[in-house]
Amino acid sequence: MLFQVGGQGARPTFFEMAAAQQLPASLRGALTYSIGVLALRRPFLHKVLDYEDEFFALLMLVLETHSLRNTDASFSESLYGLRRRAAKIRTKQADIRSKSSDGIQHSSLEKRQRVLSVVFLVVLPYLKSKLHSIYNKEREARLQASLWGPGDERFEDVDYFDEAEASIASRTSTETEATIRTRLAKNIHKIIGVCYPWLHATTEGLTFTYQLLYLLDATGFYSVGLQALGIHVCRATGQELMDTSSRISKIRNRERERLPGPPWLKAVQGALLKCTYAVLDYAQTGLIAAVFIFKMMEWWYQSAEERMSAPTVYPPPPPPPPPKVAKDGIPLPPDRTICPLCSLKRANPSVVTVSGFVFCYACIHKYVSQYQRCPVTLMPADIDQIRRLFHDM
């Protein structure tokens, strides 16, 4: 069986379709990198990175809507000279004999197909990205719970002094204080954590299957989304590429003629539309070039020695959770400046290194010398593990 690798005919090759499909991901990575570099000098750009998914989805929504409306192709497909056509199966034998033998007739996209194309190109990838982030958080929470125990059984490093009564209260009282919204969010996250791997495996399996069939010339649809919409991606002919500008101008003139209101208002609205179209045209043609030129220039001026000798910087590991308070241990006072042993303001504060809790030096020295353990966690300790603190918060 021959693989389709040539560039003849209206059917795009597998490599053209793969390049068009991977372009949005490459564009997102380049934009994120560029904004991150600019944010070093303009800190307000960090807000854009905090809402990276929403920002990129809005940008692609504008670009994809503009491209489908003017060229009947997605943003990435239009850059590769591809067009989307509605695929209709012919049933008449005369048409089959007189025309091509594939039994499929191509026509322009309908309005419904353009809208659904935007949904498949922008909305579904955005939802998948959000589900993936929720799944990663849930997986990290499960991993942390398997290593250190459930989160409600451990002290948080912020409020384990201020809310010491929680160490005495039972789990039932904690659950009664949880709001319905928090419980619902936790349940939804758990459901996503269970269902997302199956959903991800299904979508990736269907994607691989359709791409393999397309490579083997067994189907004309590159993805399941294209088949669901009944759309074929074809190469644009030379005449279509030449007529694109005239078609766009006709569409825009028709829109300006439909503007309501008196002549002066139409003139103002027409000028605004003209400026909007110009901005969209410049954004569509210059966005990718500007981003990749910026990355190339940044790489060019970075010396090879810096790239070779720069050590790999790994993020610091998360701190271990605070130790648990033993059932028979001494409870912690609400005020962090009070010694748990004498219930007075700490004098000569000292810490037990096995647990990290702070006491008066005289109190903890006497207790550890007698019981050989930490009074709060009941972990084994000796006097050599007592450290003096010279700065007490």
Side-chain angles (χ1 to χ4, degrees), residues 201-311:
T202 302
T203 55
E204 292 297 322
L206 288 175
T207 301
F208 174 77
T209 301
Y210 270 85
Q211 291 179 0
L212 180 62
L213 293 176
Y214 189 88
L215 179 64
L216 300 176
D217 203 8
T219 181
F221 300 99
Y222 184 77
S223 65
V224 62
L226 293 176
Q227 184 168 10
L229 297 178
I231 294 176
H232 271 177
V233 179
C234 307
R235 282 199 187 95
T237 61
Q239 188 64 33
E240 287 177 342
L241 295 176
M242 295 174 60
D243 295 341
T244 299
S245 58
S246 60
R247 177 190 174 188
I248 294 175
S249 62
K250 289 180 181 180
I251 293 175
R252 294 176 179 178
N253 291 332
R254 196 181 307 119
E255 290 180 352
R256 283 194 289 267
E257 292 174 357
R258 294 178 182 176
L259 293 175
W264 65 269
L265 183 58
K266 288 184 178 180
V268 174
Q269 293 176 347
L272 293 176
L273 277 178
K274 189 175 181 180
C275 294
T276 304
Y277 292 144
V279 171
L280 289 176
D281 290 338
Y282 281 115
Q284 186 173 4
T285 55
L287 180 62
I288 296 178
V291 171
F292 280 99
I293 288 175
F294 179 83
K295 281 195 67 176
M296 187 177 66
M297 294 297 292
E298 196 275 339
W299 171 81
W300 179 266
Y301 285 106
Q302 184 182 9
S303 63
E305 290 79 11
E306 292 178 355
R307 294 196 303 270
M308 296 293 293
S309 62

Side-chain angles (χ1 to χ4, degrees), residues 38 54 75 80 88 98 149 171 196 379:
L38 294 176
E54 289 74 14
F75 172 65
Y80 285 91
K88 297 180 180 180
S98 60
R171 270 190 216 170
Y196 179 77
M379 298 172 65

